[in-house]
Amino acid sequence: MSRYLVKGISELVTCAGGKKRGRAMGDAGIVRDGAFLVEDGIIRAVGERSELEGRFPGLPAVDCGGKLVTPGYVDSHTHLVFGGERSSEFVRRLRGESYMSIMEGGGGIAATVAATRAASEEELAESALPYLSEMLSMGVTTCEVKSGYGLDTQTELKQLRAVARLNRMQPIELIPTFLGAHAVPAGEDADRYIDDCIAESLPAAAESGLAAFADIFCEKGVFSIEQSERYLRRAADLGFRLKVHADEMYPLGGAGLAVHAGAVSADHLLRVREEDIAALAASETVATVLPLTAFCLAEPYAPARRLIDGGAALAVGSDFNPGSCCTYDLPLSVALCCIHMHMSIEETLTALTVNGAAACAREDSVGSIEAGKQADFLVYSCSQKEFLPYRTGANLVRRVYKKGELVYG
Ligand code: NIG
Ligand code: FE
C-alpha cells in the first residue's frame, strides 16, 4: 500500500466543497503551510502541516519545497482529435476574413472533416498524443474531448475510438463527447441532417458506449434552436448527459436552451443574452467560458463577471481545435481570465478545477484536494497563486501528479 504525506506547501489551494457558484467561487479553500495524506492514489485527509504530521507520524513525504500546490486542471472543452491542420485559414483570418465567412465558403470545420475521414484511428490517436503531453506539462490531469469531425456515423465512432485508445496511452483522464451535430455536411440540409443524427448516429454512439456526453453547435447558420432541441431531446432519451455550444457568434438563445434541456454545461457564451445569464444562474447548468477562443478570434470575451455576479457556476476550458483556437495554453488562459474577464485569481482557479470537473460531471472524483478525491495535484515553481497571472503566459507548473503518481516533472 502506498501511503504518504504531501507537505512543504507555502499555499495549498484545495478548491474543496463541490461545485461553486457566484460569490462562493471566490473561496478557493486556501490553507497556508498545508499538507495532505495520499493513500493508494486517493486523498484521505487535508489540513495544516503541523496537524497532519501529528495525526500521521513517521510517514514518507513528498516535499513540495515551499511552493504553491493546486488541484490538477480539468480542461472541460476540447476538440483534440482531428486530421490535418488549418494554418492557411488562420492566415486568411489575419488578413481580415471572419471565422463564419470561411465556414460558409466551405472551409472551416468541413476542411477538418475531410482530413479526419481520410485518417485512420491509429493516426488520429498518434497525432493527438504530443498535444496531450504538452497539456500535461501545463497541469491538465482530466480533459474532455469531442468528436465532431466525421459528420457520419463511421467517422464519428472512429474519433471516439481514438479517444478511448488515447485514454490507455497516457496519464490524462479523457472524457469523451459525441458532437455529431458540429456542422451541416456539404450538400446536406440541416433539418435532414438532424433527422439522420436522431435516426442513426446518436443511437449508434449510445450503443457503442464510447461517449458520456452529447453536444451540438447551436449557432445562427449552423443548427437552430428548434433543431438543437430535437437533437438534445433524443440524446437525453438515449442516456447521454448534455453539453451545448451556445451563443458563440450570435445571441441565438443557446444558453437558455441548454438550461431548459437540463444540460450539464453551456459553452462559449460570448454573446449570451441577459435573460439567459439569469437562467444559467438559477440552474445547475455550468457556464463554461473559453477565453482562448475569444483571444484567437479577436472577439469580445464572454461576460464572466456578470455571470459570476449573477450567481452562475463558471468553468474555464481551452476549446483547443484546429480552427478557431489552436491552443490549449491554460497558463495564458489564467491571465486572460484575470486581466480581460476581471475574474479574481481564486475564481479562476475554481473555474479551472472543481467547476471544470462539474462541467464534466466528475466532481465526485476530481477537481479538488479533499478527502475522497483522486490525488491529482500540481506543484509550481512559485510560492503564491498571484504569480500565475502576473507571470503572464509562463508555465510555472513543475510537477504533475495523477492518482498519486508523479506523471510529469
Ligand atoms: O468550439 N464553434 C464550433 N466549434 C469549434 C471550432 C471548431 C473548428 O473550427 O474546427 C469551437 O470553436
Ligand atoms: Fe468548441
Side-chain angles (χ1 to χ4, degrees):
M1 185 171 81
S2 121
R3 199 164 184 249
Y4 61 84
L5 267 191
V6 184
K7 56 188 186 181
I9 306 171
S10 56
E11 210 172 35
L12 174 61
V13 178
T14 66
C15 295
K19 175 169 97 178
K20 292 192 175 65
R21 57 171 66 245
R23 255 178 193 289
M25 284 186 64
D27 178 6
I30 292 165
V31 185
R32 312 247 163 236
D33 196 8
F36 53 100
L37 173 70
V38 176
E39 211 176 76
D40 291 332
I42 303 292
I43 297 161
R44 293 294 176 203
V46 184
E48 287 173 11
R49 179 183 51 80
S50 53
E51 181 217 325
L52 261 75
E53 281 175 342
R55 277 174 66 195
F56 306 103
L59 279 184
V62 163
D63 184 0
C64 299
K67 303 299 184 189
L68 171 71
V69 170
T70 73
Y73 298 144
V74 181
D75 188 342
S76 62
H77 184 137
T78 81
H79 306 251
L80 174 83
V81 170
F82 54 84
E85 52 86 16
R86 279 153 53 199
S87 56
S88 57
E89 179 187 306
F90 179 79
V91 174
R92 281 168 65 192
R93 287 211 313 273
L94 294 182
R95 296 197 183 117
E97 284 186 68
S98 75
Y99 177 83
M100 287 310 278
S101 69
I102 292 170
M103 186 171 178
E104 279 151 19
I109 292 171
T112 301
V113 167
T116 304
R117 287 179 180 171
S120 68
E121 180 190 321
E122 293 77 5
E123 286 165 343
L124 290 174
E126 282 301 327
S127 60
L129 209 49
Y131 302 138
L132 282 167
S133 78
E134 202 175 9
M135 290 168 92
L136 183 73
S137 75
M138 292 179 179
V140 175
T141 48
T142 304
C143 178
E144 186 259 12
V145 185
K146 300 173 197 298
S147 67
Y149 293 121
L151 309 184
D152 62 37
T153 304
Q154 190 191 327
T155 315
E156 291 290 325
L157 292 182
K158 178 174 71 181
Q159 271 189 280
L160 292 172
R161 283 196 306 274
V163 178
R165 186 183 277 258
L166 284 162
N167 234 339
R168 298 187 294 266
M169 290 168 85
Q170 52 76 54
I172 300 179
E173 193 173 337
L174 304 177
I175 298 163
T177 294
F178 174 75
L179 176 56
H182 194 194
V184 184
E188 266 266 29
D189 162 81
D191 257 322
R192 282 235 316 274
Y193 183 62
I194 292 294
D195 292 343
D196 290 350
C197 292
I198 285 173
E200 199 195 313
S201 61
L202 273 169
E207 172 76 16
S208 76
L210 287 166
F213 285 89
D215 192 350
I216 183 164
F217 189 14
C218 177
E219 182 66 47
K220 189 178 176 195
V222 189
F223 296 109
S224 69
I225 294 287
E226 294 68 29
Q227 289 157 350
S228 303
E229 195 169 12
R230 284 205 291 132
Y231 173 93
L232 292 169
R233 198 177 312 123
R234 175 70 163 144
D237 287 346
L238 288 164
F240 288 105
R241 310 297 302 272
L242 307 177
K243 289 178 165 286
V244 182
H245 277 68
D247 305 312
E248 180 180 1
M249 312 289 179
Y250 185 86
L252 202 63
L257 170 65
V259 169
H260 181 70
V264 175
S265 73
D267 300 41
H268 282 289
L269 308 173
L270 269 56
R271 293 186 165 78
V272 63
R273 296 173 180 181
E274 211 53 51
E275 66 262 36
D276 290 340
I277 292 181
L280 282 165
S283 76
E284 289 303 319
T285 302
V286 176
T288 299
V289 298
L290 308 162
L292 291 168
T293 310
F295 176 74
C296 290
L297 293 179
E299 294 285 342
Y301 292 93
R305 197 61 274 149
R306 280 189 287 136
L307 283 157
I308 296 172
D309 292 342
L314 196 96
V316 170
S318 72
D319 195 27
F320 174 59
N321 73 75
S324 61
C325 180
C326 203
T327 174
Y328 34 67
D329 194 327
L330 292 185
L332 176 60
S333 209
V334 168
L336 296 178
C337 286
C338 296
I339 300 169
H340 289 290
M341 299 171 84
H342 314 293
M343 292 166 65
S344 70
I345 299 162
E346 290 85 347
E347 287 168 342
T348 303
L349 287 169
T350 299
L352 274 173
T353 57
V354 70
N355 281 8
C360 296
R362 289 290 174 96
E363 66 267 46
D364 289 347
S365 58
V366 300
S368 63
I369 296 177
E370 66 188 303
K373 295 263 186 125
Q374 286 181 25
D376 297 357
F377 60 97
L378 314 177
V379 184
Y380 296 78
S381 60
C382 58
S383 307
Q384 298 158 247
K385 61 188 174 318
E386 287 72 20
F387 273 66
L388 302 180
Y390 169 59
R391 289 290 317 281
T392 306
N395 180 19
L396 303 182
V397 173
R398 290 296 173 270
R399 280 190 260 157
V400 179
Y401 290 81
K402 179 70 183 171
K403 296 183 189 167
E405 300 286 332
L406 180 67
V407 289
Y408 170 79

